[in-house]
Amino acid sequence: MTTPLAEAAPGPIVRAEDVHKRFGTNEVLRGINLSVDPGKTVVLIGPSGSGKTTFLRCINHLETIHQGRIYVGGQLVGYRLAAGRLVEDSERNVAAKRARIGMVFQRFNLFPHLTALGNIMEAPLQVKKLPKAAAETIARDLLGKVGLEAKADHYPRQLSGGQQQRVAIARALAMDPMVMLFDEATSALDPELVGEVLKVMEDLARDGMSMVVVTHEMGFARDVADHVVFMDGGVVVEEGPPSQLFGHPQHERTQDFLRRIL
């Protein structure tokens, strides 16, 4: 059986090698190479349709890839080597690895029939088979971490969008992930609620959580990211530390994109 991610090899937390992805005849990813070091925050920016979200979903095998390899914690995700060839991994192995890759989506996707506490407890109870008392302790600690300890018994319909997204972040953290993936986590929020979610993400970055973030929030990318990647047309056009990419972009396409949005 595949070694769990908890026993991952040293090196990059995420490593993508020549990743290609097609939808029919449309090649959405055209050879992505990317590394995320432990404890670092990598932010993907670029115009809509550039492949950012598709790539993020490939990291935890929500989307299959047509060429290349993606490693998380030093292990292939979605595939295994058999007689020198890559073959689709078993659902069991994929699920075990995906459980250590936290993901927060644009939409909160909370279970409406469960309280905030219940939403966070669900995966540790069902997937990790933790005792209820242990799962509740973890959930209450995480509610405190995202500033919602007073909302433990509230149902999603009783929470604002920002509060729901913070519960969604806590729910992902409850599985003790090696890396957190954020797909436009603030794009569905009213403007006045964006800051409270970004604050949680900033705190995670400061605490050393490995993160890959797709966002249009350039302030977050500039102030929080360790590394910024500009994608367009399914390729990495330019990448580097925020000071370099925002202050001295080298590629004309990067310069044009930043002029338009800043």
Side-chain angles (χ1 to χ4, degrees):
M1 183 174 171
T2 303
T3 306
L5 287 178
E7 301 171 20
I13 287 290
V14 178
R15 187 170 85 252
E17 299 177 351
D18 192 32
V19 172
H20 291 249
K21 170 68 182 177
R22 298 185 303 275
F23 292 108
T25 59
N26 181 24
E27 192 169 20
V28 179
L29 300 177
R30 301 188 290 130
I32 301 295
N33 294 286
L34 186 71
S35 288
V36 180
D37 290 330
K40 301 300 183 182
T41 297
V42 173
V43 174
L44 309 182
I45 65 172
S48 298
S50 59
K52 307 182 302 295
T53 289
T54 298
F55 174 66
L56 202 71
R57 291 172 62 85
C58 288
I59 293 175
N60 64 358
H61 205 58
L62 289 177
E63 297 286 355
T64 58
I65 61 177
H66 293 98
Q67 183 179 319
R69 301 182 182 190
I70 295 177
Y71 298 86
V72 176
Q75 298 179 29
L76 274 170
V77 174
Y79 302 90
R80 59 184 175 84
L81 283 170
R85 295 178 57 248
L86 281 182
V87 297
E88 189 89 13
D89 207 350
S90 69
E91 277 298 319
R92 180 176 180 178
N93 281 344
V94 170
K97 293 177 180 181
R98 190 180 286 148
R100 296 299 312 282
I101 304 170
M103 187 157 188
V104 179
F105 300 88
Q106 295 179 29
R107 295 291 172 181
F108 327 122
N109 298 322
L110 298 179
F111 297 115
H113 64 289
L114 296 177
T115 63
L117 188 71
N119 266 280
I120 300 169
M121 290 174 61
E122 185 72 2
L125 288 172
Q126 301 301 325
V127 179
K128 298 181 80 171
K129 306 299 183 185
L130 289 185
K132 185 175 180 179
E136 181 172 343
T137 296
I138 290 169
R140 290 192 182 278
D141 286 347
L142 288 170
L143 278 172
K145 189 178 185 70
V146 299
L148 291 174
E149 53 267 69
K151 303 292 186 180
D153 297 326
H154 286 58
Y155 289 89
R157 65 180 180 275
Q158 299 171 304
L159 301 173
S160 70
Q163 290 169 340
Q164 289 185 60
Q165 191 63 295
R166 284 188 279 161
V167 172
I169 293 171
R171 181 176 61 179
L173 291 171
M175 291 298 289
D176 190 25
M178 295 188 67
V179 60
M180 286 283 288
L181 312 178
F182 291 87
D183 180 20
E184 296 285 9
T186 60
S187 65
L189 301 177
D190 292 334
E192 66 268 21
L193 302 177
V194 168
E196 64 190 56
V197 174
L198 291 179
K199 171 67 164 56
V200 172
M201 295 168 64
E202 290 170 16
D203 289 345
L204 289 176
R206 193 177 301 112
D207 290 344
M209 171 60 72
S210 305
M211 294 164 41
V212 186
V213 180
V214 171
T215 186
H216 290 295
E217 298 290 340
M218 293 301 113
F220 179 89
R222 190 164 38 203
D223 298 339
V224 180
D226 297 292
H227 196 77
V228 181
V229 178
F230 173 62
M231 291 179 61
D232 192 24
V235 300
V236 172
V237 176
E238 187 171 349
E239 61 181 303
S243 58
Q244 174 189 311
L245 195 132
F246 286 103
H248 306 283
Q250 300 300 302
H251 198 283
E252 183 180 350
R253 182 67 188 94
T254 314
Q255 295 168 5
D256 180 61
F257 174 77
L258 292 175
R259 268 197 306 268
R260 290 172 183 270
I261 65 169
L262 293 178

